[in-house]
Amino acid sequence: MTSSLIRGRSRRAAVHTRVRVARAVLGGLAGAGWLVLPLMTVAAHDPVPVASSGAVAGAAAQRDETSSADLVLPLVAGAAAVSLAGYGYLRRTRRARTRTTPGRVSAQPPAPTAADTERQAGAALLLADECVRTSREELSFVTALFGEERTEPFTHALRAAGTELSAAFAIWRRYEQGAPEDAGARRQALVGVIGRCAEAGRRLDAEAAALDALRGLEATGPGGVGGAGAALEVAEGRFREVAGRTVTAQETLAALAQPYAPTASVSVAGYVEQAKDRLVFATSRLNEARQAADLDDGARTARHLRAGEAAVAQTEILVDAVERLAARLREAAALVPAALTGAEAELAAFRPGGRGSPASDEPRGPLAHADGVLAAVREELTGGPYDPLDALRRISRAVERLGGARFGVLHTAALLVAGGCVAGAEEFVAVHRGAVGTPARARLAEAVRELGAGRPGRADPVAREARELAERDVRAYGGRYAGAGGDAAGPTGAVLGGIVPADDPDGGPPASYGGPLTRYRHHL
């Protein structure tokens, strides 16, 4: 409809323009005719009868008057035609300058540049990742209350959104690596990223209203608010459980300093303090939600309950990170002796006379390096506290340079190291998502893909890069929100965690299940 109206408007404008031009040409021709007519009369040389002198004098006078009139009238007509044409031109120019309706030029805005499309794709990835994370967070509370069967539609939508997001991250990573090379194909790749992110958001937006209806947080009634009472019991129960685990996590973290080197626990440094901070924020929001429920204020109940749930969920992530690291360190320490034995067997194949003995001196350098790594690890085992995960990483990499570590105990060690590194990066991003940008999230998504494909040797360095990028984002963000200890506290800690928006940390709406259109729907 719109395109046909624009085409009709363009044809009518062209017809009016031709009519104006024709009128101007006709006016000009008429003026020129008036000017040429006297000259044609003079050049006619018609015979004139002889007359008396008096008659001749009178005729001469009359002819002078007629000639003057004949010259004045064409000049007046020409001036009038020029004036009308000028007036028409000025009127059209003024109308074009003051036009408020779109014309043919504004109907097609300038195409975005490649840099504009790239920035749009990066922003779309960041927003879609945020929507998937917050939706997963709230859905865990809903499933705990209503069960998996009743929440299956929301789980299905979340799973579909995650699939679209993973595909978008994969396209983005190939784009960063220079594929495809053609400029047009690269632009289409970015368009594909934007489209998949939009589809992920659409899937979640479509189920947000149904999830709210199931929870019934804002439905008022006698004795309290609809389903808010049961939802509060679930959130408060998880709060009490994680509060007790936080105390245990502090003891666990302190115990790691005895058998292991300080570098072994650096990935969770400060996590217990952050967990306590999230608990303080959760306490405040859950209390406010309970008071709002007693006053039948459904909107305020839903708002504060969602913020409290998010803080509890992030506290669980922080405590889980400490507990999982302790378990991985114990597993790694038990695996190091077997990994050393397996590495020696792999290296024996590359020594003179072995089945993998080289025909040239080319692998001698990697072989010598591997021997040095194994010797250093043995010395650390007998010399005092060490980092068993780092020891396994060095053993695996040294053997991998020779083409080994594809199966057996060394492959198991590589999977343990890479899995821990990917999990550590994921945990860090999850509790700092208010500050972490697209590059770190893209690297994390790549590490997850590599680990899922059974390539721990590639997943581990990519996950470490993701963690480094995320930490850099947090340090840059901390200039505005960091407390004395280098991390944010109170409401600003919730901003850093992405629980509430940065522009209104004290009263802003919390992020909820949904896409870009619905994730901040719980506002007063």
Side-chain angles (χ1 to χ4, degrees), residues 282-369:
T283 300
S284 172
R285 291 306 174 97
L286 291 177
N287 285 339
E288 292 180 8
R290 178 67 70 179
Q291 295 172 6
D294 293 338
L295 297 174
D296 286 350
D297 191 340
R300 187 175 295 275
T301 300
R303 181 176 186 147
H304 291 306
L305 175 60
R306 266 303 303 135
E309 288 175 342
V312 170
Q314 291 197 7
T315 305
E316 292 173 341
I317 293 173
L318 292 163
V319 173
D320 287 343
V322 175
E323 294 175 349
R324 279 196 289 261
L325 176 62
R328 283 195 299 269
L329 287 171
R330 290 191 297 268
E331 185 177 357
L335 193 59
V336 168
L340 285 171
T341 303
E344 285 288 0
E346 290 286 344
L347 296 185
F350 291 93
R351 301 189 190 281
R355 57 180 172 82
S357 178
S360 65
D361 292 336
E362 183 177 350
R364 299 294 182 186
L367 183 60
H369 171 75

Coordinates of all heavy atoms in Angstrom, one line a residue, residues 282-369:
A282 N 19.6 -9.3 48.9 CA 18.4 -10.2 48.8 C 17.6 -10.0 50.1 O 16.3 -10.0 50.0 CB 18.9 -11.6 48.7
T283 N 18.2 -9.9 51.2 CA 17.4 -9.7 52.4 C 16.5 -8.4 52.4 O 15.3 -8.5 52.7 CB 18.4 -9.5 53.6 OG1 19.2 -10.7 53.7 CG2 17.6 -9.3 54.9
S284 N 17.1 -7.4 51.9 CA 16.3 -6.1 51.8 C 15.2 -6.3 50.8 O 14.0 -5.9 51.1 CB 17.2 -5.0 51.3 OG 16.5 -3.8 51.0
R285 N 15.4 -6.8 49.6 CA 14.3 -6.9 48.6 C 13.3 -8.0 49.0 O 12.1 -7.7 48.8 CB 15.0 -7.3 47.3 CG 15.8 -6.1 46.7 CD 15.0 -4.8 46.6 NE 15.7 -3.7 46.2 CZ 15.8 -3.2 44.9 NH1 15.1 -3.9 44.0 NH2 16.5 -2.2 44.7
L286 N 13.6 -9.1 49.6 CA 12.6 -10.0 50.0 C 11.8 -9.5 51.2 O 10.6 -9.8 51.2 CB 13.3 -11.3 50.4 CG 14.0 -12.1 49.3 CD1 14.6 -13.4 49.8 CD2 12.9 -12.5 48.2
N287 N 12.4 -8.7 52.1 CA 11.6 -8.1 53.1 C 10.6 -7.1 52.6 O 9.4 -7.1 53.0 CB 12.5 -7.4 54.2 CG 13.2 -8.4 55.0 OD1 12.8 -9.6 55.2 ND2 14.3 -8.0 55.6
E288 N 11.0 -6.3 51.6 CA 10.1 -5.4 51.0 C 9.0 -6.1 50.2 O 7.9 -5.6 50.2 CB 10.9 -4.4 50.1 CG 11.9 -3.5 50.8 CD 12.6 -2.6 49.9 OE1 12.3 -2.6 48.7 OE2 13.6 -1.9 50.3
A289 N 9.4 -7.2 49.6 CA 8.3 -7.9 48.9 C 7.3 -8.5 49.8 O 6.1 -8.5 49.5 CB 9.0 -9.1 48.1
R290 N 7.7 -9.0 51.0 CA 6.8 -9.5 52.0 C 5.9 -8.4 52.5 O 4.7 -8.6 52.7 CB 7.6 -10.1 53.1 CG 6.8 -10.7 54.2 CD 5.9 -11.9 53.8 NE 6.7 -13.0 53.6 CZ 6.2 -14.2 53.2 NH1 4.9 -14.3 53.0 NH2 7.0 -15.3 52.9
Q291 N 6.4 -7.2 52.8 CA 5.6 -6.1 53.2 C 4.6 -5.7 52.2 O 3.4 -5.4 52.5 CB 6.5 -4.9 53.6 CG 7.4 -5.2 54.8 CD 8.4 -4.1 55.0 OE1 8.4 -3.1 54.4 NE2 9.3 -4.4 56.0
A292 N 5.0 -5.6 50.9 CA 4.1 -5.3 49.8 C 3.0 -6.3 49.7 O 1.9 -5.9 49.4 CB 4.9 -5.1 48.5
A293 N 3.3 -7.6 49.8 CA 2.3 -8.6 49.8 C 1.3 -8.4 50.9 O 0.1 -8.6 50.6 CB 3.0 -10.0 49.8
D294 N 1.7 -8.1 52.1 CA 0.8 -7.9 53.2 C -0.2 -6.7 52.9 O -1.3 -6.7 53.4 CB 1.5 -7.6 54.5 CG 2.3 -8.9 54.9 OD1 1.9 -10.0 54.5 OD2 3.2 -8.7 55.7
L295 N 0.3 -5.7 52.1 CA -0.5 -4.6 51.7 C -1.3 -4.7 50.4 O -1.9 -3.8 49.9 CB 0.4 -3.3 51.6 CG 1.1 -2.9 52.9 CD1 2.1 -1.8 52.6 CD2 0.1 -2.5 54.0
D296 N -1.3 -6.0 49.9 CA -2.0 -6.2 48.6 C -1.5 -5.4 47.4 O -2.2 -5.0 46.5 CB -3.5 -6.1 48.7 CG -4.1 -7.2 49.5 OD1 -3.4 -8.2 49.8 OD2 -5.3 -7.1 49.8
D297 N -0.2 -5.0 47.5 CA 0.4 -4.2 46.4 C 1.1 -5.2 45.4 O 2.3 -5.5 45.6 CB 1.4 -3.2 47.0 CG 1.9 -2.2 46.0 OD1 1.7 -2.5 44.7 OD2 2.4 -1.1 46.4
G298 N 0.4 -5.7 44.4 CA 0.9 -6.7 43.5 C 2.1 -6.3 42.7 O 3.1 -7.0 42.6
A299 N 2.1 -5.0 42.2 CA 3.2 -4.6 41.3 C 4.5 -4.5 42.1 O 5.5 -4.9 41.7 CB 2.8 -3.2 40.7
R300 N 4.4 -3.9 43.4 CA 5.6 -3.8 44.2 C 6.1 -5.1 44.7 O 7.3 -5.4 44.8 CB 5.3 -2.8 45.4 CG 6.5 -2.5 46.2 CD 6.1 -1.5 47.3 NE 5.7 -0.2 46.7 CZ 6.6 0.7 46.4 NH1 7.9 0.6 46.5 NH2 6.1 1.9 45.9
T301 N 5.2 -6.0 44.9 CA 5.6 -7.4 45.3 C 6.4 -8.1 44.3 O 7.4 -8.6 44.5 CB 4.3 -8.2 45.7 OG1 3.6 -7.6 46.7 CG2 4.7 -9.6 46.1
A302 N 5.9 -8.0 43.0 CA 6.6 -8.7 41.9 C 7.9 -8.1 41.7 O 8.9 -8.8 41.4 CB 5.7 -8.6 40.7
R303 N 8.0 -6.8 41.8 CA 9.2 -6.1 41.5 C 10.3 -6.4 42.5 O 11.4 -6.8 42.1 CB 9.0 -4.6 41.5 CG 10.2 -3.7 41.3 CD 9.8 -2.2 41.2 NE 10.8 -1.4 40.8 CZ 10.7 -0.2 40.2 NH1 9.4 0.1 39.8 NH2 11.7 0.5 39.9
H304 N 10.0 -6.4 43.8 CA 11.0 -6.7 44.8 C 11.3 -8.2 44.9 O 12.5 -8.5 45.2 CB 10.6 -6.1 46.2 CG 10.5 -4.6 46.3 ND1 11.6 -3.9 45.9 CD2 9.5 -3.8 46.6 CE1 11.3 -2.6 46.1 NE2 10.0 -2.5 46.5
L305 N 10.3 -9.0 44.6 CA 10.6 -10.4 44.7 C 11.5 -10.8 43.6 O 12.5 -11.6 43.8 CB 9.2 -11.2 44.5 CG 9.3 -12.7 44.4 CD1 10.0 -13.3 45.6 CD2 8.0 -13.3 44.2
R306 N 11.4 -10.3 42.4 CA 12.3 -10.6 41.3 C 13.7 -10.2 41.6 O 14.7 -10.9 41.3 CB 11.8 -10.0 40.0 CG 10.9 -10.9 39.1 CD 11.6 -12.2 38.8 NE 12.9 -12.0 38.1 CZ 14.0 -12.7 38.4 NH1 14.0 -13.6 39.3 NH2 15.1 -12.4 37.7
A307 N 13.9 -9.0 42.1 CA 15.2 -8.6 42.5 C 15.8 -9.5 43.6 O 17.0 -9.8 43.5 CB 15.2 -7.1 43.0
G308 N 15.0 -9.9 44.5 CA 15.5 -10.8 45.6 C 15.9 -12.1 45.0 O 16.9 -12.7 45.4
E309 N 15.1 -12.7 44.1 CA 15.4 -13.9 43.5 C 16.7 -13.9 42.7 O 17.5 -14.8 42.8 CB 14.2 -14.4 42.6 CG 12.9 -14.8 43.3 CD 11.8 -15.1 42.3 OE1 11.9 -14.6 41.1 OE2 10.8 -15.7 42.7
A310 N 16.9 -12.8 42.0 CA 18.1 -12.7 41.2 C 19.3 -12.7 42.1 O 20.4 -13.3 41.8 CB 18.0 -11.5 40.3
A311 N 19.2 -11.9 43.2 CA 20.4 -11.9 44.2 C 20.6 -13.2 44.8 O 21.8 -13.6 45.0 CB 20.1 -10.8 45.2
V312 N 19.6 -14.0 45.1 CA 19.8 -15.3 45.7 C 20.5 -16.2 44.7 O 21.4 -17.0 45.0 CB 18.4 -15.9 46.1 CG1 18.6 -17.4 46.5 CG2 17.9 -15.1 47.3
A313 N 20.0 -16.2 43.4 CA 20.6 -17.0 42.4 C 22.1 -16.7 42.2 O 22.9 -17.6 42.0 CB 19.8 -16.8 41.1
Q314 N 22.4 -15.4 42.2 CA 23.9 -15.1 42.0 C 24.7 -15.5 43.2 O 25.9 -15.9 43.1 CB 24.0 -13.6 41.7 CG 23.5 -13.2 40.4 CD 24.0 -11.8 39.9 OE1 24.8 -11.2 40.6 NE2 23.5 -11.4 38.8
T315 N 24.1 -15.5 44.4 CA 24.8 -16.0 45.6 C 25.1 -17.4 45.4 O 26.2 -17.9 45.8 CB 24.0 -15.7 46.9 OG1 23.6 -14.3 47.0 CG2 24.7 -16.1 48.1
E316 N 24.1 -18.2 44.9 CA 24.3 -19.6 44.7 C 25.5 -19.9 43.7 O 26.3 -20.8 43.9 CB 23.0 -20.2 44.2 CG 21.9 -20.3 45.2 CD 20.6 -20.7 44.7 OE1 20.4 -20.7 43.4 OE2 19.7 -21.1 45.4
I317 N 25.5 -19.0 42.7 CA 26.6 -19.2 41.7 C 28.0 -19.0 42.3 O 28.9 -19.7 42.1 CB 26.4 -18.2 40.5 CG1 25.2 -18.6 39.7 CG2 27.6 -18.2 39.6 CD1 24.8 -17.6 38.6
L318 N 28.1 -17.9 43.1 CA 29.3 -17.6 43.8 C 29.8 -18.7 44.8 O 30.9 -19.1 44.8 CB 29.2 -16.3 44.5 CG 29.1 -15.0 43.6 CD1 28.6 -13.9 44.5 CD2 30.4 -14.7 43.0
V319 N 28.8 -19.2 45.5 CA 29.2 -20.3 46.5 C 29.5 -21.6 45.7 O 30.4 -22.3 46.1 CB 28.0 -20.5 47.5 CG1 28.2 -21.7 48.4 CG2 27.8 -19.3 48.4
D320 N 28.7 -21.9 44.7 CA 29.0 -23.1 43.9 C 30.4 -23.0 43.3 O 31.1 -24.1 43.2 CB 28.0 -23.2 42.8 CG 26.6 -23.6 43.3 OD1 26.5 -24.2 44.4 OD2 25.6 -23.5 42.5
A321 N 30.8 -21.8 42.9 CA 32.1 -21.7 42.3 C 33.2 -22.1 43.2 O 34.2 -22.8 42.9 CB 32.3 -20.3 41.8
V322 N 33.1 -21.7 44.5 CA 34.1 -22.1 45.5 C 34.1 -23.6 45.8 O 35.1 -24.2 45.8 CB 33.9 -21.3 46.8 CG1 34.8 -21.8 47.9 CG2 34.0 -19.8 46.6
E323 N 32.9 -24.1 45.9 CA 32.8 -25.6 46.2 C 33.3 -26.4 45.0 O 34.0 -27.4 45.2 CB 31.3 -25.9 46.5 CG 30.8 -25.3 47.8 CD 29.4 -25.5 48.0 OE1 28.7 -26.0 47.1 OE2 28.9 -25.2 49.1
R324 N 33.0 -26.0 43.8 CA 33.4 -26.8 42.6 C 34.9 -26.7 42.4 O 35.6 -27.7 42.0 CB 32.7 -26.3 41.3 CG 31.3 -26.9 41.2 CD 30.8 -26.7 39.8 NE 30.5 -25.3 39.5 CZ 29.3 -24.7 39.6 NH1 28.2 -25.5 39.9 NH2 29.1 -23.5 39.3
L325 N 35.5 -25.5 42.7 CA 36.9 -25.4 42.6 C 37.6 -26.3 43.6 O 38.6 -27.0 43.2 CB 37.4 -24.0 42.8 CG 38.9 -23.7 42.8 CD1 39.5 -24.1 41.5 CD2 39.2 -22.3 43.2
A326 N 37.1 -26.4 44.8 CA 37.8 -27.3 45.8 C 37.7 -28.7 45.3 O 38.7 -29.5 45.5 CB 37.1 -27.1 47.1
A327 N 36.6 -29.1 44.8 CA 36.4 -30.5 44.3 C 37.3 -30.8 43.1 O 38.0 -31.9 43.0 CB 35.0 -30.8 43.9
R328 N 37.5 -29.8 42.2 CA 38.4 -30.0 41.0 C 39.8 -30.1 41.5 O 40.6 -30.9 40.9 CB 38.2 -28.9 40.0 CG 36.9 -29.0 39.2 CD 37.0 -28.1 38.0 NE 37.1 -26.7 38.3 CZ 36.0 -25.9 38.5 NH1 34.8 -26.3 38.3 NH2 36.2 -24.6 38.8
L329 N 40.2 -29.3 42.4 CA 41.6 -29.3 42.9 C 41.9 -30.7 43.5 O 43.0 -31.3 43.3 CB 41.8 -28.2 43.9 CG 41.9 -26.8 43.4 CD1 42.0 -25.8 44.5 CD2 43.2 -26.7 42.5
R330 N 41.0 -31.2 44.3 CA 41.2 -32.6 44.9 C 41.3 -33.6 43.8 O 42.2 -34.5 43.8 CB 40.0 -32.9 45.8 CG 40.0 -32.1 47.1 CD 39.1 -32.7 48.1 NE 37.7 -32.7 47.7 CZ 36.9 -31.6 47.9 NH1 37.3 -30.6 48.6 NH2 35.6 -31.7 47.5
E331 N 40.4 -33.5 42.8 CA 40.5 -34.5 41.7 C 41.8 -34.3 40.9 O 42.4 -35.3 40.5 CB 39.3 -34.3 40.8 CG 39.2 -35.3 39.6 CD 37.9 -35.1 38.8 OE1 37.1 -34.2 39.1 OE2 37.7 -35.8 37.8
A332 N 42.2 -33.1 40.7 CA 43.4 -32.9 39.9 C 44.6 -33.4 40.7 O 45.6 -34.0 40.1 CB 43.6 -31.4 39.6
A333 N 44.7 -33.2 42.0 CA 45.8 -33.6 42.8 C 45.9 -35.1 42.7 O 47.0 -35.7 42.7 CB 45.7 -33.1 44.2
A334 N 44.8 -35.8 42.7 CA 44.8 -37.3 42.6 C 45.2 -37.8 41.2 O 45.7 -38.9 41.1 CB 43.5 -37.9 43.0
L335 N 45.0 -36.9 40.2 CA 45.3 -37.3 38.8 C 46.7 -37.0 38.4 O 47.2 -37.6 37.4 CB 44.3 -36.6 37.9 CG 44.2 -37.1 36.5 CD1 43.8 -38.6 36.4 CD2 43.1 -36.3 35.7
V336 N 47.4 -36.1 39.1 CA 48.7 -35.7 38.6 C 49.7 -36.9 38.5 O 50.4 -37.0 37.5 CB 49.3 -34.6 39.6 CG1 50.8 -34.4 39.3 CG2 48.5 -33.3 39.3
P337 N 49.8 -37.8 39.5 CA 50.8 -38.9 39.4 C 50.5 -39.8 38.2 O 51.4 -40.2 37.4 CB 50.6 -39.7 40.7 CG 50.1 -38.7 41.7 CD 49.2 -37.8 40.9
A338 N 49.2 -40.1 37.9 CA 48.9 -40.9 36.7 C 49.2 -40.1 35.5 O 49.6 -40.7 34.5 CB 47.4 -41.3 36.8
A339 N 48.9 -38.8 35.5 CA 49.2 -38.0 34.3 C 50.7 -38.0 34.0 O 51.2 -38.1 32.8 CB 48.7 -36.6 34.5
L340 N 51.6 -38.0 35.0 CA 53.0 -38.0 34.8 C 53.4 -39.4 34.2 O 54.3 -39.4 33.3 CB 53.7 -37.8 36.1 CG 53.8 -36.4 36.7 CD1 54.3 -36.3 38.1 CD2 54.6 -35.5 35.8
T341 N 52.8 -40.4 34.7 CA 53.2 -41.8 34.1 C 52.7 -41.9 32.7 O 53.5 -42.4 31.8 CB 52.5 -42.9 35.0 OG1 52.9 -42.7 36.3 CG2 52.8 -44.2 34.4
G342 N 51.5 -41.4 32.4 CA 51.0 -41.4 31.0 C 51.9 -40.5 30.1 O 52.1 -40.9 28.9
A343 N 52.3 -39.4 30.6 CA 53.2 -38.5 29.8 C 54.5 -39.2 29.5 O 55.0 -39.1 28.4 CB 53.4 -37.2 30.5
E344 N 55.1 -39.9 30.5 CA 56.3 -40.6 30.2 C 56.2 -41.6 29.1 O 57.1 -41.8 28.3 CB 56.8 -41.2 31.5 CG 57.4 -40.2 32.5 CD 58.8 -39.7 32.1 OE1 59.3 -40.1 31.0 OE2 59.4 -38.9 32.8
A345 N 55.1 -42.3 29.2 CA 54.8 -43.3 28.1 C 54.7 -42.7 26.8 O 55.2 -43.2 25.8 CB 53.6 -44.1 28.5
E346 N 54.0 -41.6 26.7 CA 53.9 -40.9 25.4 C 55.3 -40.4 24.9 O 55.6 -40.5 23.7 CB 53.0 -39.7 25.5 CG 51.5 -40.1 25.7 CD 50.9 -40.5 24.4 OE1 51.4 -40.3 23.4 OE2 49.8 -41.2 24.5
L347 N 56.1 -39.9 25.8 CA 57.4 -39.3 25.4 C 58.3 -40.4 25.0 O 59.2 -40.3 24.1 CB 58.0 -38.5 26.5 CG 57.3 -37.3 27.0 CD1 58.1 -36.5 28.0 CD2 57.0 -36.4 25.8
A348 N 58.2 -41.6 25.6 CA 59.1 -42.7 25.2 C 58.9 -43.1 23.8 O 59.9 -43.6 23.2 CB 58.8 -43.9 26.1
A349 N 57.8 -42.9 23.2 CA 57.5 -43.2 21.8 C 58.3 -42.3 20.9 O 58.6 -42.7 19.7 CB 56.1 -43.2 21.5
F350 N 58.7 -41.2 21.4 CA 59.4 -40.2 20.5 C 60.9 -40.2 20.8 O 61.6 -39.4 20.2 CB 58.9 -38.8 20.8 CG 57.5 -38.6 20.3 CD1 56.4 -38.8 21.1 CD2 57.2 -38.2 18.9 CE1 55.1 -38.7 20.6 CE2 55.9 -38.1 18.5 CZ 54.8 -38.3 19.3
R351 N 61.4 -41.0 21.7 CA 62.8 -41.1 22.0 C 63.5 -42.0 20.9 O 62.8 -42.8 20.2 CB 63.1 -41.6 23.4 CG 62.4 -40.7 24.5 CD 62.9 -41.1 25.8 NE 62.1 -40.4 26.8 CZ 62.3 -39.1 27.2 NH1 63.2 -38.4 26.6 NH2 61.5 -38.6 28.2
P352 N 64.8 -42.0 20.8 CA 65.4 -42.8 19.8 C 65.1 -44.3 20.0 O 65.1 -44.8 21.1 CB 66.9 -42.6 20.1 CG 67.0 -41.2 20.6 CD 65.7 -41.1 21.5
G353 N 64.6 -44.9 18.9 CA 64.2 -46.3 19.0 C 62.8 -46.5 19.3 O 62.3 -47.7 19.2
G354 N 62.1 -45.5 19.6 CA 60.6 -45.6 19.9 C 59.8 -45.7 18.7 O 60.3 -45.4 17.6
R355 N 58.5 -46.0 18.8 CA 57.6 -46.2 17.7 C 57.4 -44.8 17.0 O 57.1 -44.8 15.8 CB 56.3 -46.8 18.1 CG 55.6 -46.0 19.2 CD 54.3 -46.7 19.6 NE 53.6 -46.0 20.7 CZ 52.9 -44.9 20.7 NH1 52.8 -44.3 19.5 NH2 52.4 -44.4 21.8
G356 N 57.5 -43.7 17.7 CA 57.3 -42.4 17.1 C 58.6 -41.7 17.0 O 58.6 -40.4 16.9
S357 N 59.7 -42.4 17.0 CA 61.0 -41.7 16.9 C 61.1 -41.0 15.6 O 60.9 -41.5 14.5 CB 62.1 -42.8 17.0 OG 63.4 -42.2 16.8
P358 N 61.5 -39.7 15.7 CA 61.6 -38.9 14.5 C 62.8 -39.2 13.6 O 63.8 -39.7 14.1 CB 61.7 -37.4 15.0 CG 62.4 -37.6 16.3 CD 61.9 -38.9 16.9
A359 N 62.6 -39.0 12.3 CA 63.7 -39.2 11.3 C 64.6 -38.1 11.3 O 65.7 -38.2 10.7 CB 63.1 -39.5 9.9
S360 N 64.3 -37.0 11.8 CA 65.1 -35.8 11.9 C 65.2 -35.2 13.3 O 64.6 -35.8 14.2 CB 64.6 -34.7 10.9 OG 63.3 -34.3 11.3
D361 N 65.9 -34.1 13.4 CA 66.0 -33.5 14.7 C 64.9 -32.5 15.0 O 64.9 -31.8 16.0 CB 67.3 -32.8 14.9 CG 68.5 -33.8 14.9 OD1 68.2 -35.0 15.3 OD2 69.6 -33.4 14.5
E362 N 63.9 -32.4 14.1 CA 62.8 -31.4 14.2 C 62.1 -31.5 15.5 O 61.9 -30.4 16.2 CB 61.9 -31.5 13.0 CG 60.8 -30.4 13.0 CD 60.0 -30.5 11.8 OE1 60.3 -31.3 10.9 OE2 58.9 -29.8 11.7
P363 N 61.6 -32.6 16.0 CA 60.9 -32.7 17.3 C 61.7 -32.7 18.5 O 61.2 -32.8 19.6 CB 60.0 -34.0 17.2 CG 60.1 -34.4 15.8 CD 61.5 -33.9 15.3
R364 N 63.0 -32.5 18.4 CA 63.9 -32.6 19.5 C 63.6 -31.5 20.5 O 63.6 -31.7 21.7 CB 65.4 -32.5 19.1 CG 65.8 -33.6 18.2 CD 65.8 -35.0 18.9 NE 66.3 -36.0 18.1 CZ 66.3 -37.3 18.4 NH1 65.8 -37.7 19.5 NH2 66.8 -38.2 17.5
G365 N 63.3 -30.3 20.0 CA 62.9 -29.2 20.9 C 61.7 -29.4 21.7 O 61.7 -29.3 22.9
P366 N 60.5 -29.8 21.1 CA 59.4 -30.1 21.9 C 59.6 -31.3 22.9 O 59.1 -31.2 24.0 CB 58.3 -30.5 20.9 CG 58.7 -29.8 19.7 CD 60.2 -29.8 19.7
L367 N 60.4 -32.2 22.5 CA 60.7 -33.3 23.4 C 61.5 -32.9 24.6 O 61.2 -33.3 25.8 CB 61.4 -34.4 22.7 CG 61.8 -35.7 23.4 CD1 60.5 -36.4 23.9 CD2 62.6 -36.7 22.6
A368 N 62.5 -32.0 24.4 CA 63.2 -31.5 25.5 C 62.4 -30.6 26.4 O 62.5 -30.6 27.6 CB 64.4 -30.7 25.0
H369 N 61.5 -29.9 25.8 CA 60.6 -29.0 26.6 C 59.7 -29.9 27.4 O 59.5 -29.6 28.6 CB 59.8 -28.1 25.6 CG 58.7 -27.4 26.3 ND1 58.9 -26.3 27.1 CD2 57.3 -27.6 26.4 CE1 57.7 -25.8 27.6 NE2 56.8 -26.6 27.2

